[in-house]
Amino acid sequence: MRALVRDYLDLGLSRRGFLKAMAAAGFTLTAAESVLKNLAPVAHAETAGKEYWKEFEGNGGELLAEQLLQTGNEYLFVGNGSGLGALCDAVIDRPKLKLVLSTHEAHVVAMASGYALASGKTAFCMYSRVGAAHSTGNIYNAMKDRIPLVIAVDRADTTEDGRDGHEDLEDMLEPMKQYTKWRWIPKEVARVPEWTAKAFKVASTMPSGPTYMMFPRDVMFEQKAKTKIFLPGTFDVPMNVRPNAKTVEKTAKMLVEAKTPLFNIGPEVYQGGGQKEIVELVELLGIPIFERGQLCQVFPNQHPLYLGQMRGQIRYPQNVDFFMNIGARWDEANESFVAQKKIPAVVAGVDVRHLGDGIAIEDALVGSVKESLRDLIDAVKAVATKDRIEKIRQSRFEETKKFTERLRAGREANAKKIWDNKPIEWDRVGKEIEAIADKDAIFVEEFGSQRNKCMDHISIGYGAKTQLGRTTGECLGWGLPAAIGVKLAKPDHQVWALQGDGGMLFNQTEALWPMRRHEAPIITVIFNNRSYNETRNRMWTRGKNQREKKLDMISHLGNPDVNFAKIADAYDIKGEVVAEPKDLKPALQRAINATRDGKPYLLDVLVTQAGQGANMNWYPKVSIAEMRSKKA
Amino acid sequence: MQRVLATMFFIAAALFPIALAADQWTDMLPAGDGQQETKELCSNCHNLQKIVQSRKTPQEWERSVNDMLARGAQIFPDEAEKIAKYLSASFPPGK
């Protein structure tokens, strides 16, 4: 009945259809009519007297601001540029809109991305068109991560464009084609609100992603129009799309009848709001579960059914006879055990362009993952008795629990063994953070291959702490500004920015500026191993000369030996270098105390290198000073 | 004999720099206690090129295997110990 009521209220089911379906479900006509009578006020309230737009007269900047007010956005993420003048003028008279400023366009996009990820809203950012090139790394990240962003830049006057003029190229939309879902140049001032509303609609409709607009300066400053501003609720496409009912029933039967089913889930489960449902479903049937994707930890990582990151081959469980991929992109799928052993696979999600890439699909649940999982739970309960479900669950759950407990015990023992090592071990930093962090803390991380050494010791995922990042696209230079956006969305949560030194040196030291300017009490921890550890390992594994001659050509970062605490000091942010293992815990406490007082804090923790070529600390020297023939 | 074959294979690979398939690296593991675990457990996450081409002390091999454990490899501690011993014996420095 729950599903029928929802269909009726969503206007997908007529009154007659509702009565017919209720009768088919075994309800009397009187009972069905009684339900309809009770629903009538709710159903009519949906549309009665609804206003779709209002009229407003103003220049392009004012029309843009008026439309932005209707999107529910309080914060506009901006960079500096004279093309933002008309918007700035409009914001002065609209105090509901607040500007969050960064000095670098890539950080504007990352702040907006973090805000969108943590709030679930579509974020807006604007900066100078010549800064757009700077920002593409994080637009690429947003596209890969399906983050709903509306990105706006300025453009030359409509009377001057197309002449390769001042700060202009002939086609400045083309470079954004691969990074965005939709692009537009609003050249008619009367249609600025319409196109802005469209940009929000396209960006937010799942699979979501960035949209891009270039506002000509004359449209923004001088041109005026009286036109329609679209009101809230008129430019959202509801994505609570339910999957095909027959496919749900078929999948439920396969799940119940399978001896060894296995799940793989991805970020779409977080973005589609299905975390609670995935935990409920796998617990219902005792299904072991992997994750694929690094944008966030979806499933609780300390849960007995959680097996870790999905690989091409797996050790456990063996003899998988049913596989479900829910909201994950899995680029190794065609070489995986699923393809090799021809395991029947059902995929679920809205990202139809990539749904089931690389594997043969038995069937697909196309729709919201939340709705699909909810319907699957109901269907499983409908096709099997409570006793049968419990019997299925118990044996699987216990077997998987034994396996995961043994693995975790091994990792714990390993961490204990290396606890006092110097430089400090990643495992120790993870465990010390876990012991001291708030229960609802949020971690924004941008690690490489050493990630699990730290994050496996922190309870993250649904019902535990939250982890966002690293980006799927892995374009470094995202984490710190993204953490600022996260803190803005969740000011009452403790927010940690966890970074490698390599990632920090990809432009991110400037992100300390907006962190200080906007007084964002964030704990930044730099895992400083003075190396691009991941790339060194990858190169040395596949290549030969560096490995055999033990020459680290491009991965050593120890010269200059950057002191990130000193950099923080330049931005008026307190920080300290932590070199001794015993000093870590009190330093973390000082950082927490500072953030409780409303101030950001930075820890530069000297951690271990690992793998091939670790601790070589050699690099090919090119000294310009030595090239001189005189002291010039 | 297997070790001789492995060495010959390694030389051939060096002379004719073509990419070897993942299972060819696996075939280059010499016989010994721990070979099976190395073959099955390590190759779940990566091909065995980095193992076959590395030469390390027992401490370094132990460190490498424990590092994999810490990074999420599905290996139990007793198996990790066995693998580390096998790799120390099979791929020591200077061999």
Side-chain angles (χ1 to χ4, degrees):
Chain A
M1 188 169 87
R2 183 183 75 86
L4 288 174
V5 167
R6 189 168 48 181
D7 281 358
Y8 178 69
L9 290 177
D10 289 349
L11 308 178
L13 190 62
S14 65
R15 190 174 186 279
R16 181 184 289 183
F18 180 80
L19 292 173
K20 206 173 158 189
M22 286 286 279
F27 291 89
T28 63
L29 185 64
T30 315
E33 280 180 336
S34 167
V35 172
L36 267 186
K37 199 178 164 188
N38 287 329
L39 289 175
V42 185
H44 290 153
E46 295 283 318
T47 52
K50 186 169 177 176
E51 293 294 333
Y52 294 101
W53 56 72
K54 66 168 187 177
E55 287 210 319
F56 183 83
E57 187 172 2
N59 68 11
E62 289 165 327
L63 291 171
L64 173 62
E66 278 297 312
Q67 188 58 63
L68 288 173
L69 279 170
Q70 306 306 322
T71 65
N73 266 283
E74 197 179 345
Y75 303 108
L76 314 181
F77 298 91
V78 294
N80 182 269
S82 49
L84 275 75
L87 180 63
C88 290
D89 289 343
V91 165
I92 289 171
D93 300 328
R94 291 166 182 80
K96 275 190 182 172
L97 296 175
K98 297 175 182 69
L99 301 180
V100 180
L101 179 68
S102 178
T103 54
H104 193 296
E105 290 79 2
H107 297 164
V108 177
V109 175
M111 287 197 302
S113 298
Y115 182 80
L117 256 180
S119 68
K121 292 179 182 173
T122 301
F124 175 85
C125 42
M126 186 166 188
Y127 41 83
S128 152
R129 66 187 185 271
V130 289
H134 284 311
S135 67
T136 49
N138 277 327
I139 302 179
Y140 153 81
N141 279 332
M143 186 66 178
K144 292 280 288 179
D145 286 329
R146 317 294 194 241
I147 293 180
L149 295 182
V150 173
I151 300 163
V153 297
D154 68 320
R155 185 176 166 84
D157 286 357
T158 50
T159 51
E160 293 172 7
D161 63 355
R163 296 176 188 151
D164 197 14
H166 175 66
E167 295 184 358
D168 195 27
L169 288 170
E170 280 192 2
D171 186 355
M172 289 180 86
L173 287 185
E174 175 65 23
M176 294 298 172
K177 200 172 175 185
Q178 293 298 322
Y179 304 143
T180 53
K181 283 179 77 179
W182 180 79
R183 301 147 295 281
W184 202 255
I185 302 172
K187 289 191 176 184
E188 297 159 58
V189 68
R191 296 182 68 187
V192 164
E194 176 197 333
W195 282 315
T196 304
K198 174 160 179 160
F200 272 86
K201 182 176 69 181
V202 175
S204 62
T205 305
M206 287 185 75
S208 42
T211 55
Y212 187 77
M213 287 194 293
M214 298 190 79
F215 289 97
R217 290 182 178 213
D218 53 341
V219 169
M220 293 299 275
F221 278 105
E222 285 90 22
Q223 293 184 24
K224 283 187 176 178
K226 188 175 184 180
T227 189
K228 288 172 188 162
I229 305 292
F230 291 79
L231 295 180
T234 61
F235 47 93
D236 304 313
V237 177
M239 287 307 292
N240 54 343
V241 181
R242 296 180 62 196
N244 181 292
K246 281 184 182 165
T247 313
V248 172
E249 195 182 334
K250 177 184 167 187
T251 309
K253 282 181 183 162
M254 291 176 91
L255 270 175
V256 168
E257 279 156 24
K259 283 197 171 56
T260 316
L262 178 68
F263 276 11
N264 180 42
I265 60 168
E268 196 183 318
V269 178
Y270 169 83
Q271 292 170 303
Q275 281 178 286
K276 178 176 174 280
E277 285 75 12
I278 190 67
V279 174
E280 189 179 335
L281 180 57
V282 297
E283 283 184 347
L284 182 70
L285 290 170
I287 300 170
I289 184 166
F290 281 97
E291 277 198 39
R292 179 76 185 188
Q294 54 200 21
L295 176 62
C296 54
Q297 180 71 34
V298 181
F299 201 79
N301 70 339
Q302 308 299 322
H303 193 285
L305 292 172
Y306 182 64
L307 292 168
Q309 275 283 316
M310 178 59 112
R311 320 262 183 188
Q313 303 300 326
I314 58 169
R315 174 182 191 171
Y316 177 89
Q318 288 292 298
N319 304 316
V320 175
D321 57 356
F322 180 64
F323 178 75
M324 265 199 89
N325 188 334
I326 306 163
R329 275 169 283 157
W330 185 24
D331 49 0
E332 290 169 343
N334 65 328
E335 294 162 352
S336 72
F337 66 98
V338 178
Q340 285 167 359
K341 295 182 179 172
K342 297 179 183 167
I343 297 166
V346 171
V347 294
V350 289
D351 201 347
V352 289
R353 194 170 160 191
H354 296 289
L355 210 54
D357 274 356
I359 49 173
I361 302 172
E362 170 70 28
D363 221 321
L365 295 165
V366 180
S368 146
V369 288
K370 182 184 173 74
E371 299 296 327
S372 296
L373 290 166
R374 177 49 54 199
D375 284 355
L376 260 183
I377 292 165
D378 290 346
V380 165
K381 286 178 179 171
V383 298
T385 64
K386 214 173 172 183
D387 286 350
R388 188 177 172 201
I389 290 171
E390 179 53 24
K391 207 173 156 190
I392 293 169
R393 185 199 78 85
Q394 212 167 23
S395 60
R396 283 186 196 150
F397 195 97
E398 288 308 316
E399 192 190 323
T400 306
K401 188 179 170 196
K402 261 187 218 166
F403 180 80
T404 52
E405 277 181 352
R406 211 175 149 198
L407 277 180
R408 288 196 182 103
R411 276 176 218 156
E412 286 298 314
N414 191 40
K416 211 171 170 185
K417 223 187 294 182
I418 56 176
W419 187 252
D420 291 318
N421 281 4
K422 189 182 169 187
I424 301 169
E425 297 283 353
W426 291 64
D427 312 58
R428 179 163 182 162
V429 187
K431 287 181 80 65
E432 299 269 29
I433 288 174
E434 170 68 359
I436 208 166
D438 284 356
K439 299 286 176 227
D440 61 352
I442 304 174
F443 297 92
V444 183
E445 61 101 337
E446 200 170 21
F447 290 146
S449 57
Q450 306 300 295
R451 174 203 180 270
N452 287 4
K453 288 184 184 177
C454 172
M455 299 311 291
D456 275 1
H457 295 289
I458 302 176
S459 354
I460 44 177
Y462 180 73
K465 302 174 187 78
T466 301
Q467 176 241 316
L468 302 171
R470 183 184 188 182
T471 57
T472 309
E474 297 194 346
C475 183
L476 287 170
W478 176 87
L480 240 66
I484 299 169
V486 169
K487 185 70 182 175
L488 190 62
K490 302 276 183 189
D492 292 333
H493 288 249
Q494 188 181 67
V495 173
W496 299 68
L498 307 180
Q499 268 293 330
D501 55 326
M504 190 67 181
L505 290 171
F506 270 99
N507 285 330
Q508 294 203 69
T509 55
E510 300 102 305
L512 295 167
W513 190 91
M515 191 183 279
R516 181 65 187 85
R517 166 74 162 246
H518 295 293
E519 298 174 356
I522 292 168
I523 303 161
T524 301
V525 183
I526 311 294
F527 288 60
N528 186 356
N529 60 6
R530 297 150 170 162
S531 177
Y532 293 117
N533 202 81
E534 179 175 335
T535 48
R536 188 188 66 250
N537 272 281
R538 288 192 195 282
M539 285 188 289
W540 284 40
T541 297
R542 297 187 78 160
K544 191 176 159 214
N545 224 7
Q546 285 189 88
R547 181 184 68 245
E548 286 189 356
K549 293 179 178 158
K550 296 202 182 301
L551 298 174
D552 182 355
M553 298 303 286
I554 53 172
S555 299
H556 178 57
L557 287 171
N559 188 5
D561 192 4
V562 179
N563 182 323
F564 292 99
K566 279 189 181 171
I567 293 178
D569 187 50
Y571 289 93
D572 192 25
I573 291 175
K574 280 194 176 161
E576 57 186 292
V577 175
V578 184
E580 295 294 331
K582 67 174 173 51
D583 295 339
L584 181 59
K585 192 177 171 183
L588 288 168
Q589 188 60 61
R590 281 191 288 279
I592 288 174
N593 294 345
T595 52
R596 284 182 183 151
D597 289 340
K599 296 192 167 76
Y601 202 89
L602 183 144
L603 297 175
D604 179 355
V605 182
L606 306 185
V607 295
T608 50
Q609 294 180 15
Q612 305 198 69
N615 308 314
M616 290 275 311
N617 298 328
W618 180 91
Y619 68 99
K621 193 174 175 187
V622 177
S623 166
I624 298 169
E626 287 174 9
M627 289 173 196
R628 298 172 305 165
S629 55
K630 61 176 186 176
K631 289 189 176 179
Chain B
M1 179 62 184
Q2 267 183 309
R3 197 162 294 167
V4 174
L5 283 174
T7 311
M8 286 169 64
F9 203 94
F10 188 80
I11 294 167
L15 290 173
F16 305 102
I18 50 167
L20 297 177
D23 55 349
Q24 287 174 292
W25 296 110
T26 309
D27 291 344
M28 290 166 68
L29 291 178
D33 191 21
Q35 181 201 31
Q36 198 57 26
E37 286 81 357
T38 304
K39 197 182 281 188
E40 283 174 10
L41 301 177
C42 300
S43 60
N44 276 343
C45 299
H46 56 79
N47 74 41
L48 303 185
Q49 181 183 7
K50 65 165 84 175
I51 288 180
V52 170
Q53 294 184 340
S54 295
R55 300 293 178 268
K56 296 182 187 179
T57 65
Q59 290 77 17
E60 287 169 335
W61 275 121
E62 188 193 349
R63 171 86 193 166
S64 296
V65 177
N66 285 337
D67 199 62
M68 298 297 152
L69 212 87
R71 285 169 55 188
Q74 296 192 330
I75 304 176
F76 300 130
D78 53 326
E79 294 164 338
E81 203 180 320
K82 198 170 180 183
I83 291 169
K85 277 186 185 162
Y86 164 77
L87 295 174
S88 303
S90 306
F91 304 106
K95 197 162 183 179

